[in-house]
Amino acid sequence: MGWHSLWVAGGRNMTIQDAKAVIGTQVRVSWTDRKGDEISEMVHVLKVDFVPLYGPCLITDIGEICLNRIVNYVLLATQEKVA
């Protein structure tokens, strides 16, 4: 299993379809906080959901990350589904 780079194009927010593609994976995500500072963390994406007052968000092991604040992301590992 190799590393896959899935950088978000400049000027474009992560879409719900983009977010659904990384459910169940380890992802390095960079996003901006309310002050505009960039944060980068490795997270495990659990699901994508709508959070009232924030809109669509990645639900991760470290909390919610609003899709419209994501600057870029890199898929690090995938979890194989067991039948």
Side-chain angles (χ1 to χ4, degrees):
M1 173 180 354
W3 290 38
H4 302 281
S5 178
L6 299 171
W7 294 100
V8 174
R12 180 176 80 84
N13 291 332
M14 179 185 242
T15 65
I16 293 173
Q17 290 78 17
D18 295 335
K20 285 181 178 180
V22 297
I23 292 174
T25 63
Q26 287 288 111
V27 180
R28 166 125 354 241
V29 181
S30 296
W31 71 96
T32 56
D33 64 10
R34 292 180 186 186
K35 296 183 281 184
D37 297 329
E38 191 171 309
I39 302 166
S40 185
E41 294 279 339
M42 186 164 46
V43 300
H44 180 77
V45 179
L46 304 171
K47 66 180 183 173
V48 178
D49 208 352
F50 184 85
V51 177
L53 302 178
Y54 293 102
C57 295
L58 285 181
I59 309 302
T60 72
D61 58 344
I62 65 165
E64 297 88 16
I65 303 171
C66 297
L67 297 186
N68 64 350
R69 294 189 175 272
I70 294 176
V71 177
N72 60 49
Y73 62 102
V74 179
L75 180 63
L76 299 176
T78 58
Q79 180 179 358
E80 295 183 26
K81 295 182 180 180
V82 179

